[in-house]
Every structure is written in C-alpha cells, then in structure tokens.
Amino acid sequence: VNGSFSGPRLSTLHYLYLSNGALAAIAPGAFLGLTALQFLQLDSNAISQLPAGAFDGLSSLTILSLGLNPLTSINAGTFAGLTSLIELYLFRTALTMIFPGAFTGLSVLVSLYVSKLVMTGS
C-alpha cells in the first residue's frame, strides 16, 4: 500500500477492509487522505513490519486490527498520530519484541487485544 488512497472521494471513507490478502508492506503515508477513516482492518496478510509513518494522517481512526500477520516487532512511535485510537488488535502475530515507546500517543486507548504472543525479556 503506497499512497493508493488519495483523492477527494476517499476523504470521507469511514471503513476500510484490506484483509485476507497478500499485503506485505505499508509505506509511510500510505493512508494519507483518509482523514475520516475510523476503522482499518488489515488482518490475515503478510505484514511483517510497520515502518514509522505507516499510519500518518489517520487521526480519526478508532479501531485498528492487525491480527494474523507475521509481525515480529513494534518500534517506538509506530502508532504515533493515532490520537483517537480506542481499540488495537494484535492477535495471533509473531511478535517477539515491543520496544519502549511503541504505544506513545495512544492516550485514549481502551482495549489492546493480544494473543499467541511469545515475548522474551532482557
């Protein structure tokens, strides 16, 4: 996904389902222009990492689902800018590391769904 969602008609989109595909990467700024988006479902893809800026421009997003992806880590600032996010789904991923600051800025987050998590400490 690389800037595919720009344009005046998509600026009012509220729900976007991109599940059960072969989506392997999200480019920084990929969702710019989706200013009204509230629900983004990216389950069951091949996303293994989330670059800084992947969710830029999604300040109205309230639900983000990334379950069933081979995500291995979440870096600091990954979710920066998601100031309206209430629910985050990270179920059945390959997470082994969540870096300090990964959830910085998620001031209204109410629910974090994680399962099948294999974490190691240092």
Side-chain angles (χ1 to χ4, degrees), residues 74-117:
I74 299 177
N75 296 313
T78 295
F79 303 111
L82 297 180
T83 54
S84 299
L85 197 68
I86 296 171
E87 296 180 19
L88 177 58
Y89 294 85
L90 296 169
F91 59 91
R92 298 190 66 186
T93 62
L95 282 174
T96 56
M97 176 64 92
I98 298 175
F99 290 94
F103 302 113
T104 299
L106 299 181
S107 57
V108 297
L109 188 69
V110 173
S111 302
L112 175 62
Y113 297 91
V114 181
S115 67
K116 303 285 183 182
L117 186 65

Side-chain angles (χ1 to χ4, degrees), residues 4-44:
S4 302
F5 302 104
S6 59
R9 289 188 161 190
L10 294 176
S11 65
T12 60
L13 188 68
H14 288 256
Y15 301 94
L16 181 58
Y17 299 88
L18 295 172
S19 296
N20 301 310
L23 187 63
I26 300 172
F31 301 106
L32 286 174
L34 298 179
T35 54
L37 194 68
Q38 296 175 350
F39 182 95
L40 178 57
Q41 187 169 347
L42 298 168
D43 298 335
S44 299

